[in-house]
Amino acid sequence: MEIDGIISAIVIGIVIGVLGRLVIPGRQRIGILWTILVGIIAALIGSAIAGAFDVADTKGVDWVEWLIQIGLAALGVSALDRSKARRR
């Protein structure tokens, strides 16, 4: 992966993380850095899943890939929030 790929993964991860966090109702007890990290991981895993189902590269906007990534980010943020809540 080249530097432009890494930078784009970070930017997409930020967007995916924030969107995933917005999908979950209520207040989350995790910071923005955790949200970004979850978003980056969700973007990478979501791209791999979309590629496996052959929906990663379509004409126009890849809506299915975005939905997979946002769903994974929402799951990740929710799981991290629950684990932080149990520690308190």
Side-chain angles (χ1 to χ4, degrees):
M1 186 175 256
E2 295 180 17
I3 190 71
D4 61 339
I6 293 170
I7 292 171
S8 65
I10 291 171
V11 171
I12 290 171
I14 291 169
V15 172
I16 294 296
V18 170
L19 289 174
R21 190 172 178 150
L22 289 174
V23 169
I24 302 169
R27 185 175 186 276
Q28 292 82 39
R29 292 170 290 271
I30 64 171
I32 191 69
L33 292 177
W34 281 111
T35 302
I36 292 170
L37 183 63
V38 167
I40 292 170
I41 294 168
L44 294 172
I45 294 172
S47 291
I49 291 172
F53 287 110
D54 202 28
V55 293
D57 293 320
T58 59
K59 294 180 180 178
V61 179
D62 298 326
W63 293 109
V64 175
E65 183 177 9
W66 274 79
L67 290 174
I68 292 170
Q69 292 170 337
I70 293 169
L72 288 173
L75 286 174
V77 167
S78 178
L80 191 59
D81 182 49
R82 286 183 185 174
S83 72
K84 292 231 182 225
R86 287 184 188 157
R87 289 187 201 165
R88 294 181 181 182

